């Protein structure tokens, strides 16, 4: 088992499946299709991003019990990183931990287990997670792919990541009254109006100076169309990057409207946060499985940035990320601990076997 996973991880690393390289994305999908020969493979494509959904039955169930989700795309790396090598029990290479190692475990486990389980499981492999997952995971969801629970094998050192912040990008527009700069009383400065809004942001959402689990607002840009000295500006606009915790999910838009009562709010994007209850029965079972295999309870992790799981949470399907041990994701020295691939396999195997008896 160990060698099968290791060999497959190496094979996947050696394909330069950087998000922008359409040819390589298709090549890696073709490679995993070969691995999964004999199973039903549904192929999807959206904006030239291929993805597949694999299962053992003839037709797709209305709802899988569990979907194993993995992304095969990687961020760019130097040429050497696409030649995997082993050193001191670690496998080095681009995507080793994020997340070709985890994906290889999912593939090998799916091959071995899916036909033996008394419930349907799906294997979802996509190629655009690093750039948002809209044309992979979200595209498949739009095509009706559903599950009770989803596990993505992102790097967590066997921890369970059940929360991540959501993202709002919004333009806030203040309007004033233009006047000659020497006759201020005839106008109303939009910049000064904006200053009040800035003070309010600083008070309500002070800048994070260390890692903290709370909503934050980054003021990304402030501008006015005014270009002369002698004019009271009648417009001012700022761009806000709001990172909100799931606990603020229902209230955040209202809070923003209240903070800027006389201004126009133009929402550019709204990314739901990730949230799955720690006491969800699947999460509990996964926790138990990690504890039995690794002899210590997993950390429950809140993350500042989301994964493809957020697309499921967005339609109220529960899911978490949980994966093997490694470091250096997106860096020059990415590695996965080889024996953690085997351990991760055993965790998932126990999870699925126990799920059977319920
Ligand atoms: Zn990843």
């Amino acid at each position: 088992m160990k060698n099968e996973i290791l060999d497959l991880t190496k094979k996947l690393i050696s394909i330069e499946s950087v998000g922008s390289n359409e040819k390589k994305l298709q090549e890696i999908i073709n490679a995993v299709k070969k691995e999964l020969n004999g199973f039903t493979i549904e192929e999807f494509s959206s904006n030239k991003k291929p993805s597949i959904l694999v299962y053992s039955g003839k037709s797709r169930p209305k709802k899988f019990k569990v979907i194993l989700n993995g992304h095969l795309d990687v961020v760019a790396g130097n040429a050497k990183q696409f030649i995997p090598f082993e050193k001191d029990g670690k496998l080095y290479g681009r995507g080793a931990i994020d997340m070709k190692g985890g994906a290889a475990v999912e593939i090998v486990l799916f091959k071995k287990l899916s036909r033996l389980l008394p419930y349907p499981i799906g294997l979802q492999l996509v190629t655009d997670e690093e750039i948002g997952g809209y044309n992979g995971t979200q595209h498949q969801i739009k095509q009706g792919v559903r599950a009770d629970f989803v596990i993505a094998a992102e790097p967590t050192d066997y921890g369970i990541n059940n929360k991540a912040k959501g993202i709002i990008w919004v333009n806030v527009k203040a309007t004033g009254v233009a006047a000659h700069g020497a006759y201020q009383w005839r106008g109303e400065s939009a910049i000064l109006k904006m200053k009040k809004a800035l003070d309010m942001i600083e008070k309500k959402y002070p800048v994070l100076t260390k890692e903290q689990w709370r909503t934050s607002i980054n003021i990304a840009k402030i501008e006015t169309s005014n270009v002369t000295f002698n004019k009271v500006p009648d417009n001012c606009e700022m761009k806000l990057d709001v990172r909100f915790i799931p606990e603020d999910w229902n209230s955040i838009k209202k809070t923003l409207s209240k903070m800027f009562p006389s201004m126009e709010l133009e929402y550019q994007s709204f990314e739901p946060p990730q949230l799955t209850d720690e006491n969800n029965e699947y999460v509990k079972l996964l926790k138990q499985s990690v504890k039995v295999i690794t002899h210590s309870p997993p950390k429950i992790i809140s993350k500042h940035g989301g994964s493809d799981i957020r697309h499921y949470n967005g339609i109220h399907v529960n899911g978490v990320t949980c994966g093997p041990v490694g470091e250096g994701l997106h860096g020059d020295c990415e590695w996965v601990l080889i024996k953690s691939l085997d351990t991760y396999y055993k965790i998932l195997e126990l999870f699925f076997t126990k799920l059977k008896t319920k």
Side-chain angles (χ1 to χ4, degrees), residues 56 61 63-66 113-122 282 285 348-358:
S56 61
K63 204 174 171 190
F64 292 98
K65 195 157 178 73
V66 178
L113 271 192
S114 67
R115 287 197 177 106
L116 305 175
L117 297 171
Y119 51 81
I121 69 167
Y282 291 90
L285 182 59
L348 290 183
E349 187 181 40
L350 184 62
F351 171 84
F352 282 113
T353 315
K354 289 276 176 195
L355 196 59
K356 177 167 70 175
T357 59
K358 284 201 166 184

Side-chain angles (χ1 to χ4, degrees), residues 195-242:
K195 181 190 170 287
K196 282 184 191 144
L198 292 173
D199 291 343
M200 184 70 106
I201 293 173
E202 243 198 309
K203 203 173 134 199
K204 219 170 147 52
Y205 298 101
V207 172
L208 290 174
T209 51
K210 60 178 186 327
E211 192 177 342
Q212 254 181 316
W213 189 248
R214 63 172 169 83
T215 296
S216 66
I217 298 183
N218 172 44
I219 301 155
K221 189 176 182 180
I222 300 180
E223 62 185 344
T224 172
S225 68
N226 181 35
V227 287
T228 64
F229 285 92
N230 58 354
K231 184 182 168 186
V232 175
D234 63 354
N235 67 81
C236 186
E237 186 177 327
M238 67 175 165
K239 293 186 182 300
L240 299 182
D241 175 22
V242 183

Side-chain angles (χ1 to χ4, degrees), residues 275-324:
L275 179 64
T276 291
D277 194 321
E278 225 183 286
N279 295 312
N280 167 289
E281 59 168 320
Y282 291 90
V283 179
K284 281 206 275 195
L285 182 59
L286 191 56
K287 272 197 250 180
Q288 278 169 22
S289 308
V290 173
K291 197 177 165 190
V292 169
I293 301 296
T294 67
H295 309 294
S296 68
K299 277 194 185 133
I300 303 298
I301 306 166
S302 297
K303 285 200 175 181
H304 294 267
S307 68
D308 267 1
I309 291 295
R310 76 187 192 288
H311 296 302
Y312 281 104
N313 289 167
I315 56 156
H316 304 288
V317 171
N318 288 311
V320 295
T321 67
C322 173

